[in-house]
């Protein structure tokens, strides 16, 4: 952004043209006034039950402390599944220990948290922060970066340093004694110099759904057995720990496999009690939060692959959402699907239109998944790719100052079930079509010819339709570039087409008509070196079928990461937007991307802020996103789940 362009000017242009009053999607950097809804949970939230009796609170406080990727991506098949670890029989006995009896959704008071509030809202409103920055002459984006840095510092400073401190912090946070093996976990975490000891609220949210439903102990095991009996084995994996050794049922080929998870669990398996939980190897989540189901209704899995999931997702909307708003919610709230304008949201992301592999179940069942929407009851666990060397790449040895002032992304056409009539609706496709328009517009502003330089570079042997000829192709929901928007035009003149080094590396998951349509309207660059992003100051990360496995590699680099996503992940407790990454709105047509790049490249405050984010994300990844941190999260999750699996009454 040019120094003379004010945030109010940009805000007025963006909001007047693109935003609706009801929309509460990912926060646009140039629209800080978008309403974000309530900052705290409803009183009905199962984690904030203030109505619990004092006697029950005393009872809880007085407890004695106890010493997949998609089938198309991974080649998943029924034949390719195996049991890793050599303890399959022992692993399965935990599930098969009792028969599949009926249960209902009557809440069990002894398993409801009495914590007044497990999630704290921001102590300083964003309006106050912005007002303070305005008085000091700080640009509103640089202001967000500085505020986010303060929040990150607070997150670190409030962590416990000893097991005794961690026990006290746990009791204060959740109003109950910590689970068995908790102190052993804390000692192991401290031994490995873990940064985060106390902030594991996502686990509390995820397991809270089962506590509220009274789905614990034998009921929990019977529900898991019911799922195992009703669903084919290739649909459902399993993670067990038996006598300190992990057992994993799942695909055993490639990095996203049972063997990878076994390796992640090895450093921590000795401190995990005997426990077993289902594991979802699909990329997409599987447990939309269900309404109460009759006890006699059989457990089932729907196949919504390639279909409109709106009805299924809508039925899963409870009165509260299962993804918490955290202390930095004034910077970037999670998407609450149940509160969004679903017509608008449905036009922006492939999963919400036609997911490639979506097999939701009809009852509440404990299942580990890599990501989910706000109204899903899957238990979030780290994707095993986050701990595999192939997805971490090599160390970035290029200093920030030596990198190109450009944005880089390469990927494939995943993210939705593509057809020749619909492929242009997907979130990746919209971003790639949008960036193509930016290159065309930048070329016209510089040379007078609206043409994409990438067409000549990467598709010199074929004809690629320019955006104005393909505006009605394949269900496109993206408007054409608006040359009357003076602020964006000015930014593109300064940036030039070479700033947007974003393209497909290949087309996948497409039949012949779809492939022909893609080829006529898009370019591919072929595969490039995995460390190619390191040459660029800015790296883009986009959802695929679900979350993106490249995220940790990018965060660990010396580049600034732009991330666009609808998904909640396990690490949302410890990654703070605007200091560890820059969030991008799903509505790419609001021109947020070029305005951000212009600010970070050309504005003096932006250059400083960009360098600060790139440095902070690298340091944070080295401290909190190591493979051992992934292992420790699994251990903490399994230890907490074991309290539901084998409760002490």
């Amino acid at each position: 952004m040019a120094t003379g362009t004010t945030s109010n000017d940009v805000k007025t242009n963006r909001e007047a043209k693109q935003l609706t009053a009801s929309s509460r999607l990912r926060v646009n950097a140039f629209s800080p006034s978008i309403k974000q809804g309530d900052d705290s949970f409803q009183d009905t939230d199962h984690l904030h039950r203030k109505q619990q009796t004092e006697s029950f609170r005393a009872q809880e406080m007085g407890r004695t402390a106890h010493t997949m990727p998609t089938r198309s991506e991974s080649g998943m098949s029924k034949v390719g599944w195996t049991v890793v670890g050599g303890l399959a029989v022992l692993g399965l006995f935990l599930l098969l220990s009792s028969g599949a009896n009926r249960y209902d959704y009557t809440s069990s008071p002894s398993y409801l948290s009495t914590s007044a509030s497990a999630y704290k809202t921001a102590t300083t409103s964003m309006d106050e922060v912005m007002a303070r920055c305005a008085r000091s002459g700080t640009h509103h984006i640089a202001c967000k970066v500085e505020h986010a840095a303060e929040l990150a510092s607070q997150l670190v400073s409030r962590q416990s340093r000893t097991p005794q401190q961690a026990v006290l912090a746990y009791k204060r946070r959740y109003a109950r004694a910590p689970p068995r093996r908790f102190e052993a976990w804390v000692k192991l975490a401290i031994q490995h110099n873990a940064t985060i000891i106390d902030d594991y609220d996502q686990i509390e949210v995820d397991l809270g759904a089962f506590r509220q439903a009274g789905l614990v102990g034998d009921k929990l095991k019977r529900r898991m057995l019911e799922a195992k009996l009703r669903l084919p084995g290739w649909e459902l994996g399993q993670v067990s720990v038996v006598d300190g050794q992990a057992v994993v049922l799942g695909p055993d080929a490639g990095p996203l496999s049972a063997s990878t998870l076994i390796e992640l669990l090895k450093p921590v398996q000795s401190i995990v009690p005997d426990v077993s939980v289902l594991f979802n190897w699909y990329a997409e989540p599987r447990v939309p939060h269900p309404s109460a189901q009759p006890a006699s209704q059989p457990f089932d899995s729907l196949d919504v692959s390639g279909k409109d999931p709106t009805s299924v997702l809508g039925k899963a909307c409870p009165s509260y959402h299962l993804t918490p708003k955290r202390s930095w919610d004034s910077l970037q709230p999670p998407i609450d699907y149940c509160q969004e304008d679903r017509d608008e949201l449905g036009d922006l992301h492939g999963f919400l239109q036609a997911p490639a592999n979506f097999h939701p179940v009809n009852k509440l069942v404990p299942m580990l998944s890599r990501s989910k929407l706000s109204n899903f009851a899957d238990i979030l666990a780290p994707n095993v790719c986050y701990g595999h060397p192939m997805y971490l790449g090599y160390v970035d040895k290029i200093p920030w100052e030596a990198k190109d002032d450009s944005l880089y992304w390469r990927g494939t056409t995943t993210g939705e079930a593509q057809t020749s009539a619909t492929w242009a609706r997907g979130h990746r496709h919209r971003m790639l079509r949008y960036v193509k328009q930016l290159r065309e517009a930048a070329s016209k502003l510089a040379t007078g010819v609206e043409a994409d330089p990438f067409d000549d570079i990467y598709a010199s042997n074929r004809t690629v339709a320019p955006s104005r000829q393909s505006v009605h192709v394949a269900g496109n929901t993206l408007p054409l570039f608006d040359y009357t928007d003076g602020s964006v035009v000015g930014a593109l003149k300064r940036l030039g087409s070479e700033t947007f080094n974003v393209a497909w590396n290949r087309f996948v998951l497409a039949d012949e008509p779809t492939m022909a349509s893609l080829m006529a309207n898009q370019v591919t660059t072929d595969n490039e070196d995995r460390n190619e992003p390191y040459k660029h100051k800015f790296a883009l990360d986009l959802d695929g079928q679900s979350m993106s496995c490249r995220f940790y590699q990018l965060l660990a680099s010396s580049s600034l990461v732009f991330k666009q996503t609808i998904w909640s992940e396990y690490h949302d407790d410890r990654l703070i937007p605007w200091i560890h990454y820059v969030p991008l709105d799903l509505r790419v047509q609001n021109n947020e991307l070029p305005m951000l790049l212009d600010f970070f490249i050309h504005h003096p405050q932006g250059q400083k802020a960009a360098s600060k984010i790139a440095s902070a994300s690298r340091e944070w990844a080295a401290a909190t996103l190591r493979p051992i941190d992934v292992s420790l999260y699994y251990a903490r999750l399994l230890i907490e789940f074991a309290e539901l699996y084998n409760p002490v009454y």
Side-chain angles (χ1 to χ4, degrees):
M1 180 181 297
T3 305
T5 303
T6 68
S7 59
N8 288 333
D9 292 335
V10 179
K11 170 185 169 184
T12 301
N13 289 336
R14 298 289 72 72
E15 293 184 345
K17 293 185 178 181
Q18 276 89 21
L19 303 180
T20 61
S22 62
S23 177
R24 297 195 306 110
L25 302 175
R26 293 288 185 189
V27 174
N28 178 0
F30 295 91
S31 301
S33 64
I34 296 177
K35 292 184 178 180
Q36 299 176 29
D38 295 336
D39 287 333
S40 59
F41 274 161
Q42 303 278 337
D43 287 342
T44 55
D45 191 319
H46 61 277
L47 297 176
H48 302 168
R49 311 217 19 130
K50 296 183 179 179
Q51 297 81 11
Q52 295 298 315
T53 64
E54 289 300 321
S55 60
F56 168 62
R57 185 178 183 88
Q59 174 189 348
E60 285 295 289
M61 290 297 292
R63 290 176 58 190
T64 303
H66 300 288
T67 44
M68 143 181 230
T70 66
R71 281 173 283 185
S72 56
E73 288 179 302
S74 66
M76 177 171 58
S77 66
K78 301 178 185 179
V79 179
W81 284 58
T82 185
V83 175
V84 178
L87 295 175
V89 175
L90 289 175
L92 290 172
F93 96 92
L94 293 168
L95 276 179
L96 302 176
S97 58
S98 57
N101 294 336
R102 298 179 179 182
Y103 95 99
D104 57 30
Y105 274 71
T106 302
S107 297
S108 174
S110 61
Y111 283 89
L112 288 175
S113 170
T114 60
S115 172
S117 179
Y119 312 101
K120 307 300 182 185
T121 56
T123 55
T124 304
S125 72
M126 204 59 206
D127 288 342
E128 292 177 280
V129 172
M130 288 296 179
R132 185 174 61 212
C133 290
R135 289 192 296 270
S136 65
T138 304
H139 190 282
H140 70 275
I141 298 177
C143 181
K144 288 185 178 183
V145 175
E146 293 301 319
H147 182 54
E150 292 178 12
L151 294 173
S153 177
Q154 293 168 14
L155 174 61
V156 173
S157 65
R158 68 171 177 255
Q159 302 305 310
S160 296
R161 297 293 181 262
T162 67
Q164 294 75 20
Q165 290 176 356
V167 168
L168 292 175
Y170 189 100
K171 290 179 178 179
R172 285 195 300 267
R173 188 180 289 253
Y174 303 122
R176 63 172 183 269
R180 291 158 286 180
R181 309 287 180 92
F182 176 78
E183 290 189 55
W185 179 89
V186 175
K187 291 177 182 178
L188 186 62
I190 293 174
Q191 176 185 331
H192 287 286
N193 298 313
T195 304
I196 307 300
I197 301 295
D198 303 314
D199 282 67
Y200 284 79
D201 287 345
Q202 186 63 57
I203 295 176
E204 183 72 5
V205 171
D206 292 342
L207 301 189
F210 299 93
R211 290 190 177 99
Q212 185 191 26
L215 194 54
V216 298
D218 289 342
K219 289 182 178 181
L220 188 73
K221 295 173 184 177
R222 288 195 291 268
R223 176 45 55 94
M224 292 168 65
L225 177 61
E226 185 181 4
K228 295 287 290 184
L229 293 175
R230 296 289 302 182
L231 301 179
W234 54 269
E235 276 200 14
L236 207 55
Q238 180 181 311
V239 177
S240 302
V241 176
V242 182
D243 291 332
Q245 185 166 345
V247 184
V248 179
L249 176 66
D252 198 31
L256 300 180
S257 66
S259 291
T260 304
L261 183 50
I262 285 290
E263 291 301 313
L264 281 171
L265 293 174
K266 279 183 178 179
V268 298
Q269 60 188 358
S270 63
I271 66 169
V272 177
D274 286 1
V275 69
S276 188
V277 64
L278 302 179
F279 194 92
N280 173 27
W281 287 99
Y282 283 121
E284 298 84 353
R286 300 201 59 185
V287 192
H289 193 269
S291 57
Q293 299 288 345
S296 59
Q297 179 172 334
F299 193 96
D300 200 8
S301 173
L302 304 175
D303 186 356
V304 194
S305 304
K307 303 172 184 176
D308 184 350
T310 304
S311 176
V312 173
L313 299 179
K315 291 177 181 178
C317 281
S319 58
Y320 54 84
H321 64 89
L322 300 179
T323 299
K325 291 184 174 72
R326 299 175 176 84
S327 58
W328 47 89
D329 58 351
S330 56
L331 292 174
Q332 180 63 35
I335 287 180
D336 183 351
Y337 177 83
C338 298
Q339 298 298 319
E340 296 293 348
D341 180 337
R342 296 177 205 167
D343 290 336
E344 180 187 16
L345 187 59
D347 286 337
L348 304 179
H349 201 279
F351 175 80
L352 305 176
Q353 299 161 1
N357 284 284
F358 185 34
H359 299 263
V361 297
N362 68 331
K363 286 188 177 182
L364 187 63
V365 60
M367 185 184 304
L368 305 188
S369 292
R370 68 192 72 179
S371 59
K372 66 179 179 180
L373 294 179
S374 61
N375 56 331
F376 278 65
D378 301 65
I379 300 169
L380 287 177
N383 193 325
V384 296
C385 69
Y386 285 148
H388 195 279
M390 191 193 94
Y391 284 96
L392 297 178
Y394 296 106
V395 176
D396 181 4
K397 298 181 180 180
I398 304 177
W400 168 262
E401 296 77 13
K403 296 173 183 282
D404 294 337
D405 284 328
S406 51
L407 175 74
Y408 182 88
W409 184 87
R410 294 292 186 274
T412 60
T413 49
T414 59
E416 67 167 351
Q418 301 176 115
T419 71
S420 59
T422 64
W423 63 260
R425 302 182 307 166
H427 50 281
R428 284 190 169 187
H429 303 74
R430 295 181 79 253
M431 177 63 79
L432 271 290
R433 287 173 62 81
Y434 172 68
V435 172
K436 181 177 174 64
Q437 287 190 30
L438 293 181
R439 287 196 297 261
E440 291 170 342
S443 176
K444 180 176 180 178
L445 294 170
T447 68
V449 179
E450 189 178 54
D452 182 3
F454 270 32
D455 293 349
D456 292 334
I457 298 172
Y458 298 108
S460 56
N461 60 343
R462 61 186 174 90
T463 300
V464 178
S467 296
R468 292 190 180 276
Q469 293 181 19
S470 63
V471 67
H472 298 301
V473 167
N476 173 54
T477 61
L478 193 66
L480 290 171
F481 182 81
D482 181 7
Y483 286 95
T484 68
D485 191 328
S487 58
V488 180
V489 166
L492 279 184
K493 286 181 178 179
R494 290 183 291 273
L495 291 169
S497 62
E498 65 276 5
T499 299
F500 303 95
N501 199 325
V502 173
W504 306 108
N505 67 303
R506 60 193 175 101
F507 300 138
V508 299
L509 307 178
D511 57 20
E512 289 187 9
T514 303
M515 183 65 75
S517 183
L518 285 166
M519 292 283 288
N521 294 279
Q522 299 278 279
V523 297
T524 56
T525 65
D526 207 351
N527 292 335
E528 296 180 341
D529 188 272
R530 186 169 186 81
N531 298 309
E532 182 68 21
Y534 297 163
K535 298 177 183 178
H536 308 266
K537 283 186 177 177
F538 307 97
L540 180 62
D541 192 50
L542 302 174
D543 288 342
Q545 303 299 78
S546 63
M547 44 68 65
S548 165
C549 276
R550 78 188 73 188
F551 190 32
Y552 280 19
Q553 178 191 4
L554 300 180
L555 289 174
S557 74
S558 299
S559 301
L560 180 153
V561 181
F562 287 100
K563 186 169 182 64
Q564 184 193 76
T565 186
I566 64 169
W567 302 108
S568 293
E569 294 188 62
Y570 89 97
H571 55 219
D572 290 348
D573 276 337
R574 60 193 63 187
L575 282 175
I576 301 178
W578 296 104
I579 189 59
H580 298 143
Y581 66 94
V582 173
L584 285 180
D585 201 308
L586 289 169
R587 299 159 296 189
V588 294
Q589 67 270 21
N590 65 12
N591 293 316
E592 176 185 40
L593 180 59
M595 300 302 288
L596 283 169
L597 286 169
D598 188 38
F599 172 72
F600 286 132
I601 293 172
H602 297 121
H603 195 291
Q605 291 184 27
Q607 295 169 6
K608 181 179 178 181
S611 176
K612 183 181 181 74
I613 296 171
S615 176
S617 67
R618 180 171 187 163
E619 293 173 1
W620 192 251
T624 66
L625 303 179
R626 305 164 298 168
I628 188 60
D629 295 307
V630 174
S631 301
L632 286 167
Y633 192 94
Y634 266 106
R636 177 73 173 258
L637 174 57
L638 291 173
I639 287 171
E640 293 277 7
F641 184 75
E643 293 295 289
L644 304 186
Y645 191 82
N646 286 311
V648 176
Y649 294 100

